Amino acid sequence: RPIEALVTVTPISPASASDLGQAPGSLLIAPGSTTATVAVPVNDDALSEVAEAFEVTLSSPNFATLARATATLSLTDDDPVPVITIADLTVSEGVGAAALPLSIQGSFEGPLELTVAVQPLGVTSLADLGAVPAQLTIASGATNATLTIGVVDDSLHEPGEAFRFTLGSSGRAMLGDGEALLNVLDDDA
């Protein structure tokens, strides 16, 4: 006699049910067979996303006892990662804050985390900048973003200052140009 069991597929964080097609409601094992395959359709998309996991559960078998009722279905993304580029910027020290522009090419799901490092160039001092974040988070699906840095407006007459900002990626994004120069022009007479 054939054995039939119910099949449920449940996303395990951060998985999205939209990445799967309609899972079968049941599994039929032919008489005399000791194995069967649960075919779960996968929806291919063009979004770069983290690896995902789903729990496949068998329940309520007729004419049998389940030795193992659950298995994990893992999906590895096959889409290209987004490319992030940060651009140079020149501002006056009286601007208050500098917003270094970032452009993002490519679709992605979930936030992207980038590390941020800053290096003063020449005789420039980091004291002329506000706090520099160690990390920048880019919202899911964004096509542009900014790295905002406070600029200290002092009353010293001094030459222009330059800072090199370097981004680092967690691997979920590629850096097209991960370095930018921030030039701060003196506004004191």
Side-chain angles (χ1 to χ4, degrees):
R1 239 176 300 187
I3 298 170
E4 186 173 12
L6 299 178
V7 176
T8 56
V9 180
T10 309
I12 301 171
S13 183
S16 170
S18 66
D19 286 332
L20 297 181
Q22 180 64 42
S26 63
L27 174 69
L28 190 64
I29 302 174
S33 293
T34 57
T35 62
T37 300
V38 176
V40 180
V42 176
N43 293 329
D44 192 17
D45 58 29
L47 292 175
S48 176
E49 51 201 339
V50 297
E52 298 173 290
F54 299 85
E55 184 176 79
V56 180
T57 304
L58 298 178
S59 62
S60 304
N62 65 347
F63 311 116
T65 302
L66 296 171
R68 181 175 169 201
T70 62
T72 301
L73 167 65
S74 299
L75 293 181
T76 303
D77 192 46
D78 63 352
D79 300 302
V81 297
V83 177
I84 300 174
T85 301
I86 187 169
D88 297 342
L89 183 65
T90 299
V91 297
S92 169
E93 75 177 352
V95 73
L100 292 157
L102 284 79
S103 64
I104 301 109
Q105 295 179 334
S107 299
F108 64 98
E109 183 175 82
L112 296 176
E113 305 288 335
L114 303 174
T115 58
V116 179
V118 61
Q119 175 188 10
L121 301 177
V123 296
T124 301
S125 167
L126 281 176
D128 291 323
L129 290 182
V132 175
Q135 188 169 313
L136 175 66
T137 300
I138 299 174
S140 181
T143 57
N144 56 57
T146 57
L147 172 60
T148 303
I149 306 296
V151 177
V152 176
D153 187 10
D154 59 30
S155 58
L156 299 174
H157 182 64
E158 57 195 345
E161 300 168 303
F163 304 88
R164 176 180 295 124
F165 286 85
T166 304
L167 301 177
S169 172
S170 63
R172 289 204 51 229
M174 190 163 73
L175 298 172
D177 183 354
E179 288 191 353
L181 292 179
L182 171 60
N183 295 298
V184 180
L185 303 177
D186 187 47
D187 64 354
D188 302 304

